[in-house]
Amino acid sequence: MSVIEAIFTGQVDPLEQVVTASPKVGEMEKSIDSVMNELEPRIGMKEMDMLTELHDLILREAGVIGAEYFRYGLSLGIEQLKESKEVLGYFKIDGSLE
């Protein structure tokens, strides 16, 4: 199976394949944990559960948005390749690119 087939049949999920190496992500995660830990003793258990649920929803939303960006970027790249091939075909002389 080709990579493109795997992507479009859902066998390749960018959210599962990409490991973020940016130190900014780690810093943000630490900040989020710090805020959550600070709020935990200040608010009730019900509110903490709601806050945790909100956090999870935001993460899932970001995942869906990220997947849409990936899909758009991939489609744009494919269209660019197709157009490039057409342009190169226009300049071919006697079957070569020389």
Side-chain angles (χ1 to χ4, degrees):
M1 173 180 291
S2 73
V3 173
I4 291 178
E5 287 175 319
I7 290 169
F8 282 105
T9 58
Q11 295 180 15
V12 173
D13 184 355
L15 299 176
E16 294 176 359
Q17 304 295 322
V18 175
V19 177
T20 306
S22 171
K24 289 182 179 182
V25 172
E27 292 170 15
M28 286 186 268
E29 288 173 347
K30 286 178 185 175
S31 294
I32 291 168
D33 287 343
S34 175
V35 169
M36 297 285 275
N37 289 334
E38 189 176 326
L39 286 174
E40 190 171 12
R42 294 181 181 188
I43 62 178
M45 190 58 125
K46 181 180 177 183
E47 289 82 6
M48 192 64 193
D49 288 345
M50 289 174 63
L51 183 59
T52 301
E53 183 180 346
L54 175 62
H55 180 252
D56 292 343
L57 284 170
I58 291 169
L59 287 176
R60 288 198 305 259
E61 177 190 37
V64 170
I65 291 169
E68 290 299 317
Y69 283 141
F70 174 81
R71 201 174 349 264
Y72 176 77
L74 179 65
S75 295
L76 191 61
I78 291 170
E79 287 300 317
Q80 184 180 13
L81 287 172
K82 286 170 44 181
E83 287 179 17
S84 297
K85 184 178 177 183
E86 290 171 10
V87 169
L88 289 175
Y90 177 78
F91 288 107
K92 280 187 179 180
I93 301 171
D94 298 328
S96 68
L97 292 175
E98 300 176 354

